[in-house]
Amino acid sequence: MKKAVSVYALIVGIGMLCMWSFFIVSGNLGEFETKPAEITFHLIAEFGTAVMLISAAALSLGRKPLGKPLMLAALGMLLYTVIVSPGYYFGRGEMPFVIMFFVLILLTAAAIGITAAVTAKEKNN
């Protein structure tokens, strides 16, 4: 299960980088014109989350001690973003994205639970 969490974090992190990079390069972020400060800070948070997820996955897969605490922090960042993000799509009536984020909320919460349980178990041994 530990490896599954790392693979999940890696896939989501890479997916976030790809998605946001595509939106920026393709010019599909009208918020740069309407809300430049908000989208800039949002992108900093999204890219930061992606980098944290990828770093945590790499450290965890490499069995480095910093992997688990960094994974918990990265997954916490991800949980925040997947809770906040559906509102944007709900307001636009894009329900498939709302459903996708609901699934990501469940998967991320499960990943946090698994990582916390494994960390606690290892500390007790």
Side-chain angles (χ1 to χ4, degrees):
M1 287 304 271
K2 292 185 292 185
K3 186 175 180 180
V5 170
S6 296
V7 170
Y8 172 71
L10 187 62
I11 290 169
V12 173
I14 291 170
M16 289 174 73
L17 286 179
C18 291
M19 180 190 79
W20 285 111
S21 296
F22 173 77
F23 287 155
I24 292 167
V25 171
S26 67
N28 285 336
L29 282 176
E31 289 86 350
F32 277 126
E33 299 296 324
T34 60
K35 298 178 181 180
E38 290 92 337
I39 193 63
T40 298
F41 281 102
H42 183 77
L43 289 173
I44 290 168
E46 291 283 332
F47 279 105
T49 300
V51 169
M52 285 281 287
L53 287 166
I54 294 166
S55 300
L59 289 169
S60 292
L61 289 169
R63 299 182 189 273
K64 303 295 182 194
L66 189 56
K68 286 184 197 72
L70 191 63
M71 182 65 76
L72 285 170
L75 289 170
M77 293 170 71
L78 178 61
L79 185 61
Y80 174 80
T81 194
V82 296
I83 288 172
V84 170
S85 295
Y88 173 80
Y89 295 100
F90 185 79
R92 295 173 54 143
E94 297 179 20
M95 292 311 290
F97 285 105
V98 174
I99 293 166
M100 176 193 74
F101 280 111
F102 181 73
V103 171
L104 287 171
I105 289 167
L106 296 177
L107 291 173
T108 303
I112 290 170
I114 291 166
T115 304
V118 167
T119 302
K121 183 179 178 184
E122 289 176 356
K123 281 187 179 185
N124 290 331
N125 289 335

